[in-house]
Amino acid sequence: MPNPSSLPVRVILASQSPRRRELLTLVGITHDVLPADIDETVWPGEEPVPHCERLARSKAETLAAQHPEAVVIGSDTIVVVDGDILGKPGSRDEAIAMLTRLAGRAHVVHTAVAVAHQGEVRSGVESVGVTFRELSPELIAAYVDTGEPMDKAGAYGIQGYGATIVERVDGDYFAVMGLPLGRLVGLIRGLGYRYAFGPVTAA
């Protein structure tokens, strides 16, 4: 008979992001995908980091209440420049405006991750500095026309074509992709579960 503590625990990713799913698969965490439907509106006066962490916790808590047997992972990523949160662009023109604003300078990517199970929630935020290369209007337009920026915060994806417009990353690269793996594993262990380079199991 197998040791019950060695049996995998059900893990749910409360996000439809293919990047987050790829990252969990990369480190061997088997999981189901069940996106959480929550209101992501920024509250009046809410600062970027608390906003980001609140959304990650809300996603995790929402699914954990529906699936009490599972360990639920919620995450949220925002791009901040000059104190302003840049979400997903709503149009081609908005994507061009965002990239024009980011070109040739630094901004900050905040990615919050939360892990919830049976009423307990642990969370944290990774903040990463990202610097863009100088970008001509023609290059920005060509990048937007690939379609890649349209479903991404700040109108770029570092794991795709956007890798070529980034000059440097100061911090957790995986957080910029959308899921800080090191912090995630720490939170899972903090809830009393075990990650040993594969599926999550009971400790």
Side-chain angles (χ1 to χ4, degrees):
M1 298 258 324
N3 183 342
S5 67
S6 69
L7 296 177
V9 174
R10 186 186 185 199
V11 174
I12 294 175
L13 175 63
S15 169
Q16 61 186 356
S17 164
R19 275 78 57 187
R20 293 187 180 118
R21 180 161 200 173
E22 289 166 6
L23 288 174
L24 286 182
T25 301
L26 178 71
V27 295
I29 297 178
T30 53
H31 61 282
D32 299 322
V33 175
L34 294 174
D37 183 18
I38 66 166
D39 181 0
E40 300 191 13
T41 304
V42 180
W43 290 348
E46 188 174 35
E47 292 295 320
V49 171
H51 166 73
C52 184
E53 188 164 13
R54 176 176 64 82
L55 294 189
R57 290 178 68 92
S58 181
K59 291 174 185 178
E61 289 171 329
T62 297
L63 267 294
Q66 299 169 15
H67 302 275
E69 83 289 355
V71 172
V72 181
I73 298 168
S75 189
D76 191 75
T77 300
I78 57 174
V79 171
V80 178
V81 62
D82 301 326
D84 296 332
I85 297 173
L86 303 187
K88 298 174 183 177
S91 65
R92 181 178 185 275
D93 287 346
E94 190 175 356
I96 288 174
M98 286 185 184
L99 291 164
T100 299
R101 187 173 180 183
L102 296 175
R105 55 177 303 197
H107 61 272
V108 180
V109 176
H110 300 291
T111 293
V113 61
V115 180
H117 179 63
Q118 296 185 344
E120 185 173 359
V121 187
R122 303 211 172 193
S123 62
V125 179
E126 288 290 337
S127 300
V128 184
V130 179
T131 303
F132 269 20
R133 302 183 186 282
E134 295 287 349
L135 305 173
S136 68
E138 294 78 16
L139 190 62
I140 290 172
Y143 177 48
V144 172
D145 287 342
T146 67
E148 183 176 273
M150 303 311 298
D151 67 341
K152 296 174 180 63
Y156 75 97
I158 197 170
Q159 75 288 341
Y161 298 125
T164 66
I165 64 175
V166 171
E167 184 172 274
R168 63 178 293 155
V169 174
D170 296 300
D172 185 343
Y173 173 84
F174 298 109
V176 183
M177 280 187 67
L179 193 65
L181 295 171
R183 184 177 285 269
L184 169 64
V185 167
L187 294 173
I188 288 172
R189 289 173 175 154
L191 275 181
Y193 289 91
R194 183 172 183 265
Y195 169 77
F197 310 107
V200 175
T201 62

